Amino acid sequence: MYYYIFGSPKNYSKNKLQEKIKLQLTTLGISGETTLVSPARSASELALMGVEKGYSTIVAVGGDELVNEVASNIQGRDVVLGVIPINTSDDIYNLVGTADYKQACEGLKKRRLKTINMACLEPNVNFLTKIVIQNNKKLSIQAEIDDFYFTAQAEKIIIDHNLNVELINSNESKSFFSVFSKLWSNNENINNNSYFNATRLKLRTHEILPVKIGDLTVSKTPITAYKKPDALKIIKNYSNM
């Protein structure tokens, strides 16, 4: 039932942690086929192998990059994603419900499922956490969000798997949207960031910039992205929620 994809351990302590996780899985009675990312087999290849073998649950054991890669290859299929986080971001914590490997293992056994959206960066980069665009100077942006066109400036752009778009500005920078929001709400505590939600997004910056998931560059501007509703079933730990 369970097919585990472990990231390649970078050092002795990571290797020992993986051994502890395997022991925990055996103790809980949910051990299964275990695979390890290597130069010969990427996480994408291992995920597809798990699908071809007919496993109903594919578990990513590692950080954000590994989780994204596994999720990208099983989304849209009748397969459930499990996650045992190792040094992951808050994005993964919010999706899984824990940052503790023991709780994550227990969550796998309880198998409480949640269906979530994913997003796709054309032509074929699916993502579960966030993509980030930034530069060492303010960005000039042209964007089309669904049927809404606008130009703006921002220091950083963050887009998550629900296609929530955040344009980040420092306190010294005033965006049109933040000023409008303050006038509309009469609330001086609103920050200078701008927030949107889209089903489809086209975005261009005044110069070509890298688009990153964590430290990994996955594309360059301009970009087109769209939401993939209910694309993935994930095992969620509700003990701390």
Side-chain angles (χ1 to χ4, degrees), residues 3 6 16 19 38 56 63 74 91 94 140 148 160 236:
Y3 178 87
F6 284 76
K16 291 297 290 184
E19 293 303 317
S38 70
S56 59
I74 68 171
D91 297 327
N94 292 330
S140 296
F148 178 48
D160 72 10
K236 181 142 188 177

Side-chain angles (χ1 to χ4, degrees), residues 17-135:
L17 177 57
Q18 289 189 357
E19 293 303 317
K20 289 180 180 179
I21 291 171
K22 291 174 185 177
L23 179 60
Q24 181 74 7
L25 295 171
T26 300
T27 301
L28 292 171
I30 54 171
S31 59
E33 183 175 349
T34 299
T35 63
L36 182 67
V37 174
S38 70
R41 291 282 189 216
S42 68
S44 295
E45 291 172 316
L46 291 172
L48 292 174
M49 286 173 61
V51 172
E52 290 171 359
K53 290 181 177 182
Y55 283 96
S56 59
T57 305
I58 296 180
V59 183
V61 187
D64 287 37
E65 185 176 329
L66 175 70
V67 175
N68 264 297
E69 193 170 349
V70 173
S72 296
N73 285 276
I74 68 171
Q75 57 84 33
R77 304 174 185 267
D78 189 22
V79 179
V80 173
L81 174 69
V83 177
I84 301 176
I86 298 178
N87 296 332
T88 52
S89 67
D90 288 343
D91 297 327
I92 299 298
Y93 169 81
N94 292 330
L95 288 168
V96 179
T98 184
D100 180 79
Y101 80 87
K102 290 184 178 179
Q103 290 180 349
C105 291
E106 291 168 358
L108 292 177
K109 186 171 184 177
K110 293 176 182 176
R111 201 174 169 81
R112 296 175 180 171
L113 304 183
K114 182 177 181 180
T115 302
I116 61 174
N117 302 329
M118 287 192 69
C120 182
L121 189 63
E122 292 186 346
N124 58 0
V125 178
N126 297 294
F127 59 97
L128 185 61
T129 52
K130 293 175 180 175
I131 59 173
V132 177
I133 304 167
Q134 62 181 340
N135 199 9

Side-chain angles (χ1 to χ4, degrees), residues 57 170 183:
T57 305
S170 67
L183 291 171

